[in-house]
Amino acid sequence: MNANTKRKETVETIAADLKRNVVLTAGPSISTVEIDLVAEAVTEGWNTRHSEFLHQLQKEFAAYIGTRFAMATSSCTGALHLSLSGLGLKAGDEVIVPDVTWVASGFSPTYVGATPVFADINEKSLCLSAESVAKNITPRTKAIIPVHLYGHPTEMTEIMELAKKHKIHVIEDAAPSIGATWKGKRTGSFGTTSAFSFQGAKLMVSGEGGMLCTDDEELFKKVQYLNDYAVDKNRSFWISEIGFKYRMSNIQAALALGQLRRIEELVERKRLIFSWYQERLSHRSELTLCTEVPGARSNYWMGSFLFREDARIDTEKFRADLREKKVDTRPFFHPMSNLPMFKAIPEKNPVAYSVAKRGINLPSGHNLTEDDVDYVCAMIETTLGKPSPRKKTGPIAKLLLEKNKAVEQALSIPFKGGSLKLVTYASLDNASEWKELLQAREKLTPGLKVVKNQAEEETKTWLFQEILNPKDRALFWILDGSQKVRGIVGISKLSLDSERMEIDNIASLGSNNVSALADGIRALADWQRDFFGVKASFARIFSSETETIRLFESLGFQETIRFPVKKAVQNGSTQWREVVKDPYHECERYLVTLKRKSG
Ligand SMILES: *Cc1c(COP(=O)(O)O)cnc(C)c1O
């Protein structure tokens, strides 16, 4: 790209950015369906019609989830509290809760004096791990609260089996998961009770609001009674125990009803938004998008990803950088057991603690357009820096894209009397080139499982996997002045931010041609210095290959260290393993590291 084009692009980007509002993580979709219902509720929903929208909402909601009963509440938190209270939980009882969740799920047991016990989660689904639940069950365990986090359903099968076996209640925190299913069954229909949220950031909104669902008629009557201040229906204004008031208003119910009637559309939209992210971010090697586990259908309330552990990215810094670019994101929830009121509980859930640090919620509001997602992803790529290679392109694309130099320059490295030429995937389709490659490989590692006498395709696949596809590897032909192949030479540990690179895969072709190899090695080491700015080039050679060592020494490489190695045959292939030198026996050979300092 020339300087003018680059400048023009920069100016255009700045201009577009100035016009752009912050892309937010959440936001509802409100249509005339909701507006009309709310207008009706606000004008007519009083006196004899004071609960009409509430009743209609509860009826339609229960039918949608597939439970016998549903009671609208002022929040999911209220529905959880009522569930625990209705089930008679009390001080001394234990309730198993996933360590990573919104605090409402962990707080609710404390409202009835019970103790939350934090169990680990599965890294793929981000939801409660049945294995960890099993480990945490004690004689005092009275309930499990699985949380369908960010709209992904919990793997319910094993949790329900455990609950049945130990006669424990399951209270689903289905706050964000309306429309999600586990093995075809809707979340919120598994537990003794379930609790949903219609708070303003959720997929379905009523401003604030929630729903308690159950199939248990007696329990349902109990929670209705508790939600009416435990007023005794048989004695005028008499109350004999402590009750609560977590009720939803008729007007909010009208809004929720409108949303419920559009629920399939709302869920599909969220799933579409997430698919846009998948298209644009799947190739980034430093992150893993949180997708569905087998058996799950997520509503993708919040599209999320996890940074890979080895990417070592500071999520807070990443989020701050994005915020400057007008992109709002959310971190994952802190593990509950790490919060001050539960701090006494020792850190024991490794997945929860690891995931909580690495997770990011992407902007996922209903109002997002594909253009917005384009922008968000472009900003993510800019923030993360150089694009990681897309699959299939491998090291060659890495060279070309990341250094952003002209194609010719990266493909061909001239030296006096010849040049190095990058071996591309196309070499495998060239009848003579792939055979030369195979010949060089055989020479390099005699006895290695080179697939001789096998079908051509298999041999090519082997070559591809072994020497062309590895991410940190690039291979070059050594050509003479008349473009004839004289040998191969490769780079390994090709990482652009590293200050050192190795030279390997050195083999001559045709007659043994030491001077061609010398030319190739020298050109490659110089190129590593000039193109990548590495401080030193390295090579590791077996002590038995005295000629090759001498060759490297003649090019300014010096021995820095040698490790004793021992032969080990495993599954028919030979490996040389580093060993501790044993003073009583000769070691078979050494692996000699040679180094050439740049400059
Ligand atoms: C949103 C949310 C809640 C809280 O819902 P409220 O209606 O605000 O009480 C509880 N648990 C989870 C998992 C949530 O995502």
Side-chain angles (χ1 to χ4, degrees), residues 74-78 80 101-102 104-105 147-150 173 175-176 196-199 202 208-210 301 333:
S74 56
S75 68
C76 168
T77 309
L80 288 170
T101 180
W102 178 233
S105 356
V147 180
H148 309 302
L149 199 69
Y150 305 135
D173 180 344
F196 288 87
S197 172
F198 313 134
Q199 179 266 342
K202 291 289 181 334
E208 294 284 354
W301 166 52
F333 301 128

Side-chain angles (χ1 to χ4, degrees), residues 102-145:
W102 178 233
V103 292
S105 356
F107 281 176
S108 57
T110 68
Y111 300 159
V112 295
T115 308
V117 173
F118 300 109
D120 212 350
I121 58 172
N122 292 326
E123 170 148 358
K124 283 258 149 58
S125 66
L126 307 175
C127 294
L128 192 57
S129 144
E131 198 184 315
S132 180
V133 169
K135 283 189 203 146
N136 281 291
I137 291 177
T138 73
R140 288 192 299 205
T141 309
K142 291 288 147 56
I144 305 169
I145 304 186

Side-chain angles (χ1 to χ4, degrees), residues 404-544:
N404 199 17
K405 299 248 173 159
V407 175
E408 296 84 342
Q409 199 177 337
L411 281 176
S412 176
I413 303 166
F415 58 83
K416 198 158 159 260
S419 63
L420 297 179
K421 183 170 157 258
L422 200 63
V423 179
T424 69
Y425 296 168
S427 294
L428 294 179
D429 297 326
N430 179 308
S432 66
E433 280 186 23
W434 80 266
K435 282 187 185 137
E436 278 175 319
L437 209 52
L438 182 64
Q439 211 187 321
R441 266 313 285 208
E442 282 181 306
K443 195 160 193 174
L444 205 69
T445 33
L448 205 85
K449 336 182 253 189
V450 176
V451 275
K452 263 198 200 148
N453 306 327
Q454 299 235 16
E456 221 176 275
E457 270 320 299
E458 274 176 63
T459 312
K460 285 181 183 178
T461 305
W462 181 84
L463 282 170
F464 176 74
Q465 286 170 350
E466 202 65 17
I467 56 176
L468 293 183
N469 193 41
K471 261 214 230 153
D472 62 351
R473 146 79 45 74
L475 205 64
F476 294 85
W477 301 111
I478 304 172
L479 305 177
D480 65 15
S482 56
Q483 300 289 303
K484 197 168 165 325
V485 174
R486 307 300 297 274
I488 59 167
V489 59
I491 311 178
S492 71
K493 313 282 184 294
L494 171 59
S495 144
L496 295 174
D497 29 15
S498 103
E499 298 196 323
R500 46 175 290 169
M501 280 184 202
E502 278 189 23
I503 292 176
D504 72 351
N505 271 284
I506 315 133
S508 60
L509 276 157
S511 59
N512 241 352
N513 191 338
V514 180
S515 75
L517 286 186
D519 286 342
I521 294 166
R522 190 187 301 108
L524 198 56
D526 288 349
W527 185 71
Q528 290 182 346
R529 178 194 63 206
D530 301 339
F531 195 73
F532 291 109
V534 300
K535 297 220 171 79
S537 295
F538 289 83
R540 289 185 301 154
I541 319 275
F542 287 124
S543 53
S544 52

Side-chain angles (χ1 to χ4, degrees), residues 312-356:
R312 297 183 195 290
I313 288 167
D314 177 345
T315 44
E316 278 314 302
K317 180 165 183 318
F318 171 79
R319 291 188 55 240
D321 288 351
L322 274 182
R323 183 72 203 191
E324 266 179 24
K325 300 180 174 89
K326 300 196 179 183
V327 176
D328 183 34
T329 56
R330 291 188 190 183
F332 273 24
F333 301 128
H334 293 285
M336 295 274 315
S337 62
N338 197 33
L339 298 179
M341 52 287 192
F342 300 118
K343 190 72 187 183
I345 300 164
E347 224 182 88
K348 59 166 187 180
N349 298 315
V351 180
Y353 276 78
S354 162
V355 159

Side-chain angles (χ1 to χ4, degrees), residues 16-221:
D17 285 355
L18 286 175
K19 275 187 264 165
R20 184 175 290 278
N21 291 323
V22 176
V23 185
L24 295 171
T25 36
S29 159
I30 303 295
S31 72
T32 51
V33 176
E34 292 85 345
I35 293 169
D36 289 349
L37 285 166
V38 172
E40 191 184 342
V42 118
T43 47
E44 312 282 336
W46 310 99
N47 306 316
T48 56
R49 295 182 69 189
H50 69 89
S51 292
E52 199 179 295
F53 289 93
L54 266 171
H55 288 144
Q56 194 58 31
L57 171 67
Q58 289 167 167
K59 195 171 135 198
E60 290 185 26
F61 199 87
Y64 177 74
I65 300 301
T67 54
R68 288 180 65 203
F69 308 102
M71 178 177 75
T73 56
S74 56
S75 68
C76 168
T77 309
L80 288 170
H81 184 182
L82 286 169
S83 296
L84 289 153
S85 186
L87 287 168
L89 268 84
K90 55 185 187 314
D93 294 340
E94 290 176 355
V95 180
I96 297 175
V97 183
D99 210 347
V100 174
T101 180
W102 178 233
V103 292
S105 356
F107 281 176
S108 57
T110 68
Y111 300 159
V112 295
T115 308
V117 173
F118 300 109
D120 212 350
I121 58 172
N122 292 326
E123 170 148 358
K124 283 258 149 58
S125 66
L126 307 175
C127 294
L128 192 57
S129 144
E131 198 184 315
S132 180
V133 169
K135 283 189 203 146
N136 281 291
I137 291 177
T138 73
R140 288 192 299 205
T141 309
K142 291 288 147 56
I144 305 169
I145 304 186
V147 180
H148 309 302
L149 199 69
Y150 305 135
H152 188 290
T154 304
E155 294 105 320
M156 289 304 287
T157 314
E158 284 172 293
I159 304 250
M160 294 311 291
E161 277 166 15
L162 276 172
K164 207 168 155 196
K165 183 171 154 208
H166 295 275
K167 300 194 168 57
I168 303 169
H169 287 296
V170 169
I171 299 167
E172 292 177 75
D173 180 344
S177 73
I178 182 151
T181 60
W182 170 248
K183 300 200 169 156
K185 193 165 151 36
R186 285 202 206 290
T187 57
S189 67
F190 290 88
T192 311
T193 73
S194 60
F196 288 87
S197 172
F198 313 134
Q199 179 266 342
K202 291 289 181 334
L203 189 147
M204 166 178 163
V205 301
S206 66
E208 294 284 354
M211 190 72 76
L212 187 160
C213 296
T214 183
D215 283 330
D216 183 332
E217 187 164 9
E218 207 177 308
L219 180 65
F220 187 61
K221 283 189 179 148

